[in-house]
Amino acid sequence: MTSTATTTPTTTSTFGALIRTGLIATVAASAATMAVAAVGHAAGISLDVADAPIPVTGFGVLTAVFSLVGVLLAALLSRFARRPRRTFVRTTVVLTVLSLVPDVIADAGAGTKALLMLTHLVAAAIVIPAVARRLAA
């Protein structure tokens, strides 16, 4: 007796898993950056940049926007890159480092700058590994 199994293409399930993982990581990173900002603010660190306050929810919104850009980048790399995981990790690490530059030169106190940089690193530490695990090596 022979049996045949029907399978769906692996690219579809991998792509779906990549998007799901990316969305979950985005939500987690947004919540984490808002928590870091809230704790920092509660500890007395100003959230003012150039005398304009950044609302705690603003940390979550911007984290979500840029994390989703990262998920889109991962989706494109999964389709077009020879080594999607390696390319994604290298690219996003460089982009994370570059994202710290505006924080360093911001018109804000040292504590505020450090808090801003910490939120970037927290978001990257959540999103990059989660998404990278879903990409082909």
Side-chain angles (χ1 to χ4, degrees), residues 59-73:
F59 286 85
V61 169
L62 286 176
T63 299
V65 168
F66 288 105
S67 294
L68 291 174
V69 169
V71 173
L72 175 62
L73 173 66

Side-chain angles (χ1 to χ4, degrees), residues 42-90:
I45 298 173
S46 172
L47 298 181
D48 292 358
V49 174
D51 294 326
I54 302 172
V56 170
T57 55
F59 286 85
V61 169
L62 286 176
T63 299
V65 168
F66 288 105
S67 294
L68 291 174
V69 169
V71 173
L72 175 62
L73 173 66
L76 290 171
L77 291 173
S78 73
R79 172 89 170 121
F80 298 110
R82 184 178 306 150
R83 294 184 176 147
R85 182 182 302 163
R86 187 170 100 179
T87 305
F88 175 76
V89 170
R90 287 182 176 182

